[in-house]
Amino acid sequence: MATAVPVERDAVAEAFPGDAEQVRLPGATLVRTGGGCDLLAAGVGPAAAAASTAAALTAAALGGTPYGLVVCAGIGGGFLPGAPVGSLVVSGTIAVADLGAETADGFLPVTELGFGHVAHHPPTSLVREAVRVTGARPGTVLTVSTVTGTAARAAELRARHPDALAEGMEGFGVAEAAVAQGLPVLEVRAVSNPVGPRDRAAWRIGDALSALTAGFGKLAPVLESWIQHDHPDDHA
């Protein structure tokens, strides 16, 4: 089974060399690398990511070639000091940061309103192996619809999610699509900027993409091996 990777395409493609073939899907293009991994540029934000991931997973299942694992990979903001610029973060938890309601007493996640859910948990054995081979930092990766741009907002997120190491805009949407089809999911983020006051001059996108590329060079064989084995400790 291949791995669906909604992704910074060029960075991860280097880790899965092979002849590329583009496949048109509703609202998205899938790239088959020929190297055991299909790449999907999933779009910006959780809604686009969920829709395009669901389309790719459904097409594969209907075609008789279902996926065994979904990986959301890209760059994002890092919470200091745990995730400095240029570091790699692997999701122990994929959490949505802003799905809920504002009240006079503060923010209430949707679960406290009596419905929905706000987090997905990747397989522990996969997280453990990913951290071991890449040297990445494990922690919560937040999904936001609005990129954090102030110190106050960063502090608010950390207060609600003390284990948060990074934020992105797609992970929870990808996870929703994967879990709906009974598939395990993992998120990997390379840190391009600190979470906090918006400062374009402090962004290091090139460094983050280099870190993502290097990380996937080590992670690729782990992903391919992992989906070939059953993991009882992840089924509890």
Side-chain angles (χ1 to χ4, degrees):
M1 298 180 183
T3 303
V5 185
V7 71
E8 299 289 340
R9 182 184 302 167
D10 293 341
V12 181
E14 290 186 26
F16 294 90
D19 296 330
E21 172 194 1
Q22 291 194 354
V23 179
R24 289 287 180 183
L25 298 172
T29 298
L30 186 77
V31 178
R32 301 192 190 283
T33 67
C37 175
D38 293 347
L39 306 180
L40 180 70
V44 177
S52 55
T53 301
L57 297 180
T58 299
L62 292 176
T65 56
Y67 293 106
L69 171 67
V70 178
V71 180
C72 180
I75 62 176
F79 288 93
L80 299 176
V85 171
S87 64
L88 199 65
V89 173
V90 169
S91 59
T93 299
I94 301 170
V96 61
D98 45 17
L99 182 61
E102 291 289 349
T103 75
D105 296 321
F107 177 82
L108 286 179
V110 70
T111 48
E112 294 190 25
L113 301 177
F115 54 91
H117 48 268
V118 293
H120 294 291
H121 302 284
T124 55
S125 63
L126 181 57
V127 173
R128 184 169 58 245
E129 282 299 292
V131 169
R132 182 183 67 81
V133 300
T134 64
R137 299 149 196 254
T140 297
V141 180
L142 300 180
T143 298
V144 295
S145 295
T146 301
V147 174
T148 300
T150 67
R153 174 62 172 166
E156 178 186 350
L157 290 177
R158 285 303 298 270
R160 295 209 310 259
H161 304 277
D163 294 330
L165 285 183
E167 72 169 23
M169 300 183 73
E170 293 77 35
F172 190 78
V174 171
E176 289 277 84
V179 171
Q181 298 202 27
L183 293 174
V185 62
L186 183 72
E187 186 169 7
V188 180
R189 290 281 170 182
V191 177
S192 59
N193 58 276
V195 175
R198 187 171 174 81
D199 179 9
R200 292 289 298 269
W203 292 7
R204 297 293 181 267
I205 293 177
D207 292 343
L209 290 174
S210 295
L212 187 64
T213 301
F216 260 89
K218 301 171 182 176
L219 186 58
V222 170
L223 300 178
E224 295 187 40
S225 173
W226 189 88
I227 61 176
Q228 303 300 323
H229 301 88
D230 190 37
H231 304 275
D233 61 319
D234 293 325
H235 301 328

